Amino acid sequence: MLDIQAEINQQERALKKALSTAQTEDALEKVRINYLGRNGHIANLMKSLKNLSVDQKREFGPKLNAFKQAAEQSLAEKKHGIFKSQLRAQHEENRNFDVTAYEPNQKFGSLHIYTHIIEQLSNIFMSMGYDIVDGPELETDYYNFEALNIPADHPARDHHDTFWVSDNLLLRTHTSPVQIRSIENSDLPIAVFAPGRVYRNEALDASHEFNFMQGECLYIDKKISLSNLLATAQAFLQAFFGKDDLKIRVRPGFFPFVEPGLEIDASCPFCSNGCSTCKKTGWIELLGAGLVHPNVLKCSGIDPEIYSGFAFGFGIERLAMIKYGIDDIRLFHSSKIEFLDQF
Ligand code: FA5
């Protein structure tokens, strides 16, 4: 019959020797498999227990368990020791470490496309003398609608699928409330650009998000006319698309807070005779715009007989999609590295 005690003693000695000679993680792994693996020495000893009498099982079962635990602990200690000596060796080597060394194929982080676009837009407006401002995303009915000449029951409210938080609070549906807050907080004349996040309870598709960005431009001074609006819109779009010969055209549009209201299209920055971006029309719809409605000025305490102004607004993702040929707005909120890496 197998002398279990002698076998345990012999394996203990052999394990000690194997551990003392193992100097690398690979060598240690081999020792682990030899002793603690499914077909290792300890498992084989365990299997041999079944041939013993009940009394012997009672005696050697716990002994084998103790051996197994001791083996696990010795292996863990040895592993830690190897790790520490590797670290020491690495430190030695790193004394001459070249911090400027370049490792090929390394991945670098990059700014998010939102950061890039908002920086570009803000730089353009700052270069034209505008202040960059912000407003709260949680707005009141007054700033989002009422003060913008959109009273309760006005049909224009249906156009904004609003996320209401309470009777009076909502997630802003556009950046136009920043117009009112800027008028209230600044001295005249006012020239502000407000980029920011807005929310609409809309179904998602390749060109619709429920949480997207808008940019809002507002200028109020004496004697401001449509020609100021058109010159500014054209200068802005030319700078954004980097095309000096970009043309604009206007169509009538309706927004309760401007009068007259306009839709501004730009000539396609990518073609001269029709492409897939402009759907073969040569024009792309870009801005909602108009002269600030006298009711909006009056509501904020400005005399519309003395002052006038213009405002325009646009979807920031939609502008970026055109500029960079992005075909799905949902990519902006995705974590796809191949998409994010490009910017
Ligand atoms: C407005 O929100 C007006 N506040 C714009 C304005 C400002 C007009 C100042 C006049 C003066 P509109 O609802 O059309 O207008 O939205 C403006 C732009 O936001 C759209 O042209 C589009 O580019 C973008 N947009 C609208 N809905 C979505 C959506 N669900 N997902 C992504 N972009 C959207």
Side-chain angles (χ1 to χ4, degrees):
M1 190 192 62
L2 183 70
D3 182 347
I4 290 276
Q5 187 59 63
E7 191 70 15
I8 293 176
N9 293 344
Q10 199 223 311
Q11 294 298 356
E12 276 176 345
R13 282 194 299 277
L15 172 63
K16 214 168 170 188
K17 193 162 169 212
L19 282 176
S20 69
T21 46
Q23 295 306 332
T24 64
E25 278 181 66
D26 283 350
L28 191 65
E29 180 59 8
K30 280 191 189 127
V31 175
R32 190 192 66 75
I33 292 167
N34 258 340
Y35 284 84
L36 290 165
R38 212 156 7 118
N39 294 314
H41 298 306
I42 296 178
N44 287 339
L45 281 172
M46 296 269 192
K47 281 176 209 155
S48 66
L49 279 183
K50 69 172 185 295
N51 303 321
L52 302 184
S53 67
V54 175
D55 284 348
Q56 284 175 317
K57 276 182 190 156
R58 240 180 239 139
E59 182 184 351
F60 292 114
K63 282 190 176 173
L64 267 176
N65 273 334
F67 176 34
K68 188 175 174 210
Q69 276 171 15
E72 281 168 350
Q73 188 170 343
S74 309
L75 268 146
E77 280 165 10
K78 182 73 189 189
K79 193 170 181 177
H80 187 63
I82 290 177
F83 175 72
K84 271 177 45 182
S85 53
Q86 274 175 349
L87 217 59
R88 264 197 301 277
Q90 246 169 33
H91 279 315
E92 266 321 293
E93 229 173 78
N94 289 352
R95 279 206 185 148
N96 300 321
F97 186 68
D98 177 2
V99 287
T100 63
Y102 170 72
E103 189 187 327
N105 303 325
Q106 211 175 331
K107 285 241 175 230
F108 292 101
S110 59
L111 291 181
H112 194 274
I113 179 165
Y114 274 132
T115 313
H116 266 303
I117 292 286
I118 287 173
E119 242 172 40
Q120 284 176 31
L121 296 170
S122 302
N123 285 340
I124 295 171
F125 282 99
M126 282 193 290
S127 74
M128 296 198 279
Y130 283 73
D131 285 337
I132 311 302
V133 294
D134 193 10
E137 290 176 24
L138 188 62
E139 262 300 4
T140 61
D141 183 293
Y142 175 78
Y143 286 105
N144 198 80
F145 292 126
E146 198 80 34
L148 287 164
N149 203 27
I150 316 176
D153 301 328
H154 192 291
R157 288 197 181 206
D158 299 342
H159 177 61
H160 297 222
D161 302 294
T162 311
F163 286 110
W164 288 95
V165 174
S166 70
D167 281 352
N168 186 39
L169 280 178
L170 53 101
L171 292 174
R172 69 179 176 188
T173 58
H174 53 169
T175 40
S176 299
V178 186
Q179 289 189 31
I180 308 298
R181 292 187 176 275
S182 303
I183 296 173
E184 285 179 355
N185 296 330
S186 335
D187 296 328
L188 293 163
I190 292 170
V192 290
F193 172 64
R197 201 159 274 293
V198 303
Y199 303 82
R200 290 186 194 177
N201 192 0
E202 286 186 12
L204 297 190
D205 62 29
S207 54
H208 290 87
E209 259 287 355
F210 67 88
N211 168 358
F212 57 101
M213 291 262 189
Q214 284 190 342
E216 188 91 9
C217 171
L218 171 72
Y219 190 85
I220 300 180
D221 202 351
K222 290 175 182 159
K223 297 196 178 117
I224 294 301
S225 69
L226 273 181
S227 41
N228 299 112
L229 163 60
L230 300 183
T232 307
Q234 184 168 19
F236 155 57
L237 292 171
Q238 285 184 343
F240 182 74
F241 288 108
K243 279 208 83 181
D244 293 344
D245 56 351
L246 196 89
K247 295 185 188 57
I248 57 167
R249 72 176 185 186
V250 294
R251 290 173 291 115
F254 176 70
F255 305 94
F257 37 95
V258 285
E259 179 58 39
L262 307 171
E263 302 271 0
I264 298 182
D265 303 342
S267 56
C268 180
F270 306 109
C271 70
S272 50
N273 50 3
C275 66
S276 58
T277 307
C278 62
K279 301 196 181 77
K280 308 256 179 241
T281 63
W283 294 94
I284 307 182
E285 189 183 317
L286 291 179
L287 313 176
L291 293 184
V292 180
H293 198 291
N295 286 354
V296 173
L297 295 174
K298 267 192 252 166
C299 182
S300 303
I302 295 176
D303 184 348
E305 298 296 327
I306 304 173
Y307 284 95
S308 53
F310 67 74
F312 61 83
F314 52 88
I316 287 183
E317 290 89 349
R318 299 260 180 98
L319 273 193
M321 287 168 82
I322 293 165
K323 181 164 178 175
Y324 295 117
I326 301 164
D327 58 7
D328 195 325
I329 196 168
R330 290 166 290 197
L331 285 167
F332 285 80
H333 288 159
S334 80
S335 47
K336 280 203 173 133
I337 296 289
E338 319 84 76
F339 172 71
L340 298 171
D341 253 2
Q342 305 169 77
F343 304 99

